[in-house]
Amino acid sequence: MKTIFIASFILFFVHLNMAQISGYVFNLEQQPIPDLTIFNKNKNTHTHTDGRGFFRDVISKPGDTLEFSLLGFKPVIYFVKEADLNTPLSIQMENNTIQLDQINITEPLHYNLQLIDNLTRPVQNSQELLRMVPGLFIAQHAGGGKAEQIFLRGFDIDHGTDINLSVDQLLPVNMVSHAHGQGYSDLHFIIPESIKRINYEKGSYNVAKGNFSNAGYADFILQDRLQMNSIIFESGKFDAHRLAGLFKLLNTNHQNVYLAAEYVRTDGYFDEPQNFKRINGLFKYNYKFLNSAELKLTGSHFNSKWNASGQIPQRAVDQGLISRFGAIDSNEGGQTDRSNLMVNFIKPFSANQNLKLSAYYSNYNFELYSNFTFFLKDSINGDQIKQKERRNLIGFEGQYNATWAGIDLNACLGNRLDLVNDIELSHTKDRVKLLDRLAFGSIQENNSYAYLKAAYEWNQLELSVQNRLDLFHFNYTNNLVSSNKENSKTEIKYSPKLTAQYHVNQNLQLFAKTGFGFHSNDSRLLIQDPDISLLPGSFNQDIGFQTKIGSSLFLHVAAWYLFMKDELVYVGDEAIVENSGKTKRQGLEAGLRYQLNKFILFDAESSLTKARTIDDPEGQNYLPLAAKWTHTGGITLKNFHNISTSLRYRILSDRPANEDNSVQAKGYEIMDANIGYNYKNMHFSFIVENIFNQKWNEAQFLTLSRLKDESIAVEEIHFTPGSPINFRLKVQIDF
């Protein structure tokens, strides 16, 4: 045993100090190209560039053929020479039309999908940013300023309970122990044109994404620098207008600064005007030191105010009391703002290792007025509720990345602290009169975490072993009792993960993933049960393949399974606790990308899901609002004689609205269109939503409610109508 250990130790350092191929990859403007694939045609192995455009290849040797490839660039073929072992390469890439034959099957499936879709699918608003995740559906049910309701992999995720959302791999969007709902994620502070790409993966298989990642994650990566200044004007139906601008203030090889701003207003398509207004601002500064270290500073501010019609009961429409776009309580709505500051410092120590230090701060305020049951509880004043909070969010993270003996290591230590003051749920009237406080207090919630990821490639097999440890401390101070009693609890969650990819050949990859995930529960649960577990876990499995057929067809198929442990959920709308029980979700997913020619691309994604509780009897075990079948797709024409168009559709099947499926939320089929034309430095777009003017319900809930003149309560579907046909004109001027 001692001999084996010594021999392994020697071999480790011999391998570590062997001469290796390395270098940098740039575009024609001498800017680094991250995430570019370097494929060894002799050994069927690959690596890729980091954020600095740097790569290091421990496998390739003189005589090998390397292909440098990234969608949107012309491939470069390079023959490795003996001299390259001592001198870093410098590879320059030229822009090219999008060609699907450049997709590298040795990359993970989610990487290839996001690479294709980020380059080919136009994103016209912040809602469409979320729809970039295959199979993800959203619904807006309380005015344009409230976070969207999210559906993915058999989850009614509400506003973010089971999908981890972040910006620039650092800033969390999900809010723990939020006044409205656990994991509440408001993405409206993102300016769509400031996004460089969207990284995502379904399932809890990324060790860097801890809390809320059961169904997956999405990370919105901001532009580091602008190629052009831009001014954007939009105008359309329902008195909708948007003005945005992105401006380079400084742009040199060593530093750059840009500003982005956005103003949006609309009255919406409801009978009661939304009077929605939103202001966004973004500042980004990047500095590159002479020793290759980098400093990145990002600041942003967001403010939004709106009125909302809310969910309405079907019977009120059937009886002619209101139209489909009417309101029972026209005083719903709210306001929110958020200010963010992010700092990143990246220091490379050698070709094999670097350190990344990051920190962030957010100041967040939220106030929402809703009425779901109308006059059920208070027949005189109505059931309007107010949810409000003031929050400071502070976090830091340190990452160490290295490659030793062909093993890519990523180690991280981090901490997130949420300080929430005056978080309340109150019974109000007309947004003005306070009738009763149902919950009122302060929250301190701290999450310290560490993870280690080791990835190794051996011939055609890639393995990734990941381990994550989270330490949570929950504290809630109840201000409704005279003693201001504190309720505290500390919990630890361990989340191992394992992924494997086998490259059968350059056109076929098999993959398998397994891992444990979790989401935290609301700190206010401690009032009901001080001993309750606030970190219910999940177990995830995926198995599937991706393949290229010919040079134009990219296809993927996967089967997945997700088990969710028993949990209690704090319902922020009512200050009560509900037991969701153990659940299981399983399904099949398939998709394709097909390029007819260099201008035309088809895409389609389908999912079939079965979502059930485990302990309930058959027929009584449906999960409300879990979709059985979804389908999305479209056709895109890209840069044909300066014309670009897209036609996209989304189909959501009928869903159970209760546990025995006796009441269903109706599905819908919606199609949108976009046509654009480029003239010199001007870009014109005409956008049409719901081109067939379908009557559809965007959000639906089975709710017990009572109208003003009703003697008894009625339980039925309450809904928010989807948009009728809507169009707007967008003009972008680059300079």
Side-chain angles (χ1 to χ4, degrees), residues 458-469:
W458 181 67
N459 292 333
Q460 289 124 299
L461 179 65
E462 284 187 69
L463 289 175
S464 176
V465 180
Q466 307 175 59
N467 290 277
R468 181 182 176 105
L469 191 67

Side-chain angles (χ1 to χ4, degrees), residues 18-268:
M18 287 175 60
Q20 299 162 354
I21 305 297
S22 65
Y24 292 87
V25 183
F26 303 94
N27 60 20
L28 294 179
E29 289 77 34
Q30 291 300 304
Q31 300 301 323
I33 303 177
D35 300 321
L36 179 140
T37 300
I38 301 99
F39 182 75
N40 187 312
K41 287 179 168 290
N42 300 80
K43 297 182 172 62
N44 201 30
T45 61
H46 78 287
T47 185
H48 33 73
T49 55
D50 62 15
R52 301 170 294 144
F54 176 80
F55 71 94
R56 192 183 63 81
D57 187 352
V58 300
I59 302 296
S60 298
K61 299 293 183 289
D64 289 349
T65 301
L66 302 181
E67 182 182 41
F68 293 78
S69 178
L70 182 65
L71 203 63
F73 291 92
K74 291 182 180 179
V76 171
I77 301 297
Y78 188 86
F79 301 98
V80 180
K81 302 181 293 292
E82 192 73 34
D84 296 330
L85 297 175
N86 302 313
T87 304
L89 302 179
S90 180
I91 305 296
Q92 193 172 59
M93 307 287 292
E94 295 182 34
N95 292 334
N96 192 20
T97 57
I98 296 169
Q99 300 294 327
L100 280 192
D101 60 359
Q102 289 182 252
I103 291 298
N104 195 325
I105 296 299
T106 60
E107 297 288 357
L109 170 62
H110 61 275
Y111 174 89
N112 283 330
L113 289 177
Q114 65 201 26
L115 185 63
I116 298 170
D117 294 346
N118 282 330
L119 288 174
T120 58
R121 285 175 52 180
V123 173
Q124 302 295 344
N125 54 51
S126 56
Q127 288 184 326
E128 289 182 5
L129 292 173
L130 277 170
R131 289 196 184 118
M132 292 290 287
V133 180
L136 187 149
F137 278 67
I138 58 174
Q140 175 57 258
H141 60 90
K146 188 179 179 183
E148 279 75 26
Q149 186 181 10
I150 303 172
F151 304 90
L152 182 66
R153 282 202 161 182
F155 279 94
D156 171 8
I157 296 177
D158 195 22
H159 301 287
T161 311
D162 290 288
I163 184 169
N164 182 296
L165 302 176
S166 59
V167 175
D168 258 3
Q169 301 177 340
L170 176 66
L171 183 70
V173 179
N174 305 74
M175 295 294 181
V176 300
S177 301
H178 187 268
H180 179 67
Q182 181 68 341
Y184 186 88
S185 299
D186 187 352
L187 277 166
H188 295 126
F189 68 90
I190 294 178
I191 301 172
E193 290 82 3
S194 70
I195 297 299
K196 180 179 181 180
R197 67 181 188 276
I198 303 169
N199 297 336
Y200 58 77
E201 183 179 12
K202 289 185 281 188
S204 187
Y205 306 118
N206 188 333
V207 73
K209 308 300 179 183
N211 200 4
F212 304 119
S213 62
N214 290 315
Y217 77 87
D219 191 10
F220 301 87
I221 308 299
L222 297 172
Q223 301 274 6
D224 273 337
R225 63 173 66 223
L226 302 178
Q227 299 301 320
M228 302 284 287
N229 298 315
S230 300
I231 297 178
I232 300 109
F233 306 90
E234 288 188 47
S235 187
K237 286 182 66 177
F238 314 122
D239 199 20
H241 308 282
R242 178 176 181 255
L243 174 63
L246 297 92
F247 306 101
K248 297 184 293 183
L249 302 185
L250 180 65
N251 194 8
T252 69
N253 288 335
H254 289 287
Q255 58 183 329
N256 67 88
V257 180
Y258 75 84
L259 290 175
E262 175 190 56
Y263 173 74
V264 179
R265 79 161 312 277
T266 181
D267 281 337

